């Protein structure tokens, strides 16, 4: 694709390229990193929710591979904490609550309490770990548009 851009570069010298590097540098007003304490150790959440967290969360939604969970945790805690927490007795439920709370605290600090994160986790568990809302919405749109029924013709 850059070859195509390079070919037309001479013709369009008068146009300025959109410089997102400069724009994002100007916009960079980092929020303070929110601390949490777990097993007596203070951890700092990421200042913003990294795109990698969202992508990994979608990808590993039904995974039980510890390496997948490890990658997800590294994106928001910045260190490999899974083994440490597992050795100290962190349960699956506690990890789920921690992830829900942490993601919400990074996106919009103060909007979700630990109690609410627990409720949200338990609701998801009761629903059999329902697909993420965006995936469910895409499926319902396909159905409304007369999408595939899953059967071959």
């Amino acid at each position: 694709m850059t070859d195509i851009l390079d070919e037309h570069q001479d013709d369009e010298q008068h146009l300025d390229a959109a410089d997102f590097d400069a724009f994002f540098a100007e916009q960079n007003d980092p929020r303070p990193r929110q601390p949490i304490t777990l097993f007596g150790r203070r951890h700092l959440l990421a200042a913003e929710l990294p795109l990698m967290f969202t992508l990994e969360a979608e990808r590993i939604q039904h995974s039980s591979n510890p390496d997948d969970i490890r990658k997800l945790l590294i994106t928001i805690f910045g260190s490999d904490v899974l083994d440490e927490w597992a050795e100290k007795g962190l349960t699956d439920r506690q990890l789920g609550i921690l992830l829900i709370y942490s993601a919400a605290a990074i996106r919009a600090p103060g909007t979700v309490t630990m109690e609410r994160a627990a409720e949200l986790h338990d609701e998801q568990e009761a629903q059999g770990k329902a697909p993420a809302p965006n995936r469910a919405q895409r499926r319902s749109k396909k159905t409304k548009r007369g999408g595939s029924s899953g059967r071959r013709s």
Side-chain angles (χ1 to χ4, degrees):
M1 181 163 187
T2 56
D3 293 338
I4 295 170
L5 293 175
D6 291 340
E7 290 175 15
H8 298 291
Q9 191 173 14
D10 294 333
D11 297 337
E12 299 178 6
Q13 285 291 326
H14 64 282
L15 297 177
D16 290 332
D19 187 348
F20 277 95
D21 293 332
F23 176 74
F24 290 147
E26 290 171 7
Q27 299 290 310
N28 192 9
D29 186 17
R31 295 185 296 207
R33 294 177 64 184
Q34 182 173 342
I36 66 163
T37 302
L38 185 59
F39 297 114
R41 183 171 164 207
R42 186 173 186 240
H43 300 275
L44 292 175
L45 297 175
E48 292 186 63
L49 195 61
L51 176 59
M52 212 51 195
F53 176 85
T54 307
L55 295 173
E56 284 291 319
E58 180 71 20
R59 185 183 72 77
I60 69 166
Q61 194 173 113
H62 301 291
S63 174
S64 59
N65 183 341
D67 289 332
D68 289 339
I69 306 301
R70 193 172 282 112
K71 286 180 194 174
L72 187 67
L73 289 172
I74 288 171
T75 64
I76 57 176
F77 290 99
S79 63
D80 193 355
V81 293
L82 183 61
D83 292 330
E84 174 189 334
W85 292 345
E87 287 173 12
K88 293 188 177 190
L90 187 73
T91 66
D92 182 58
R93 180 176 184 270
Q94 291 169 335
L95 177 61
I97 293 167
L98 176 66
L99 286 173
I100 291 169
Y101 175 83
S102 298
I106 294 169
R107 280 189 185 114
T111 58
V112 173
T113 64
M114 288 182 275
E115 291 79 10
R116 181 64 182 140
E119 290 171 3
L120 291 168
H121 175 271
D122 294 344
E123 288 171 10
Q124 289 176 358
E125 285 291 310
Q127 296 171 4
K129 293 193 177 190
N134 59 348
R135 182 178 284 176
Q137 288 170 352
R138 278 186 263 142
R139 287 184 180 146
S140 68
K141 285 179 185 175
K142 283 182 183 177
T143 305
K144 289 177 185 174
R145 287 184 284 165
S148 172
S149 64
R151 293 182 292 179
R152 292 182 182 220
S153 334

